[in-house]
Amino acid sequence: MKPKILLTGKTGQLGSELNQLLPKLGEVIAPKRNELDLREPEKIRQVMRNASPQLVVNAAAYTAVDAAETDQASALAVNAEAPRLLALEAKKIGAMLVHFSTDYIFDGSKKAPYVETDPTNPLNAYGRSKLTGEEAIRNSGAAHLIFRTSWVYATHGRNFLLTILRLATEQEELRIVDDQVGAPTCASDVAAATAKIVAILAGTKGSVHFPEGSETYHMTAAGQTTWYEFAKAILEEAARAPQDLPWLRAATNGRPLIASRVLPISTEEFKSPARRPAYSILSNARLMQTFSVSLSDWRNQLQRCFSH
Ligand SMILES: NC(=O)c1ccc[n+]([C@@H]2O[C@H](COP(=O)([O-])OP(=O)(O)OC[C@H]3O[C@@H](n4cnc5c(N)ncnc54)[C@H](OP(=O)(O)O)[C@@H]3O)[C@@H](O)[C@H]2O)c1
């Protein structure tokens, strides 16, 4: 029998991709924010009890990294308290919770890819709220999987890809941070990897053994880059892409890209309210070893975005 899956955040970058893939694997109940506001504990309990799912996929989050510095209460409510309640309700009904977290739980002082067991030390309020959410899920006793991803973008939503394309229609010169290293990851690749794992969990594709205590996995694009190199790659791909791509036309408002220079700057020169890790490459080895799932290189993912 197909499992009942409760999906949160279906309007988000990742949630909207999952909302397309998960119906192949189960009966998906995907409430809108006005049907399930994660800042309302009683609503969470009510929706969980009414839906009574076998699987909960929590793609909702408070993702405004800079705004979280001054709105910590909202970040904590959505990123920490809501996952805690989802996990507690999941435990009561024997459901599994699939949750997403971030590279920003690390401080970036490491010089080699972070593994799941590395010590955490978030530099900003968003990272702290996500880490508190992870810990609450682990402490709940619910069956769960936590997938940490990074630098997520899509052809919709609010993200670096769409910001660069818009800025490139407005400014001839872009100044972009070149001393933060990470792995830009396309939401559709995270959704596809998650759906493969859900298929395994739902028993439709083989089986898997989770060693006790290893419920956290890194799930990012392969390779590494900086925001500056990522911006240059975006403009290269945009110049080559068919100009009638609907999402590209929407991103540029149909205007030509006039940016002819991209200059590298330091984090110091780009003032932002939240501190960000200088290095946040995550090793995906455990994901591969456990589920035989891997994501392609970041540049490859970006190229694919510009092909349709
Ligand atoms: N974006 C990144 O760069 C990044 C990097 C690393 C990890 N992650 C993690 O990846 C996951 C998916 O992120 P994303 O980029 O897809 O996020 P997103 O595009 O910002 O989408 C967030 C989703 O959460 C919903 N949401 C926010 N507050 C809510 C509330 N109070 N009640 C109910 N729903 C609420 C939003 O609904 P509305 O549309 O109504 O606002 C939206 O559907 C998150 O766990 C995030 O922390 C993201």
Side-chain angles (χ1 to χ4, degrees), residues 118-293:
D118 275 328
T120 54
N121 182 29
L123 298 178
N124 57 45
Y126 165 75
R128 284 193 294 276
S129 71
K130 293 294 292 184
L131 181 60
T132 308
E134 283 193 11
E135 286 164 349
I137 292 170
R138 285 189 200 106
N139 292 336
S140 71
H144 68 272
L145 289 173
I146 297 172
F147 298 129
R148 291 181 184 145
T149 187
S150 69
W151 295 24
V152 176
Y153 65 92
T155 54
H156 52 90
R158 270 191 305 273
N159 57 60
F160 187 80
L161 165 69
L162 299 178
T163 301
I164 289 297
L165 289 170
R166 179 179 53 76
L167 289 177
T169 68
E170 297 167 354
Q171 302 170 14
E172 285 184 5
E173 183 178 286
L174 305 183
R175 295 160 61 81
I176 310 291
V177 170
D178 193 33
D179 55 4
Q180 289 171 29
V181 175
T185 305
C186 184
S188 59
D189 289 72
V190 178
T194 303
K196 277 188 202 160
I197 293 167
V198 169
I200 296 170
L201 298 175
T204 59
K205 263 208 168 156
S207 65
V208 67
H209 171 67
F210 304 102
E212 178 93 6
S214 58
E215 289 90 357
T216 303
Y217 294 85
H218 291 170
M219 185 186 273
T220 62
Q224 65 175 55
T225 189
T226 67
W227 293 114
Y228 162 73
E229 294 290 348
F230 186 30
K232 283 203 307 182
I234 289 167
L235 296 182
E236 279 168 29
E237 296 299 337
R240 277 202 285 264
Q243 297 303 304
D244 57 352
L245 275 181
W247 74 263
L248 185 53
R249 283 190 71 79
T252 58
N253 233 333
R255 289 173 301 189
L257 300 172
I258 58 164
S260 54
R261 284 186 306 282
V262 185
L263 299 182
I265 60 165
S266 66
T267 299
E268 205 37 47
E269 289 171 88
F270 183 77
K271 297 283 172 234
S272 67
R275 283 180 70 200
R276 288 163 169 79
Y279 176 90
S280 62
I281 297 301
L282 309 184
S283 163
N284 282 216
R286 185 190 265 186
L287 188 77
M288 182 62 192
Q289 276 153 18
T290 308
F291 301 105
S292 302
V293 164

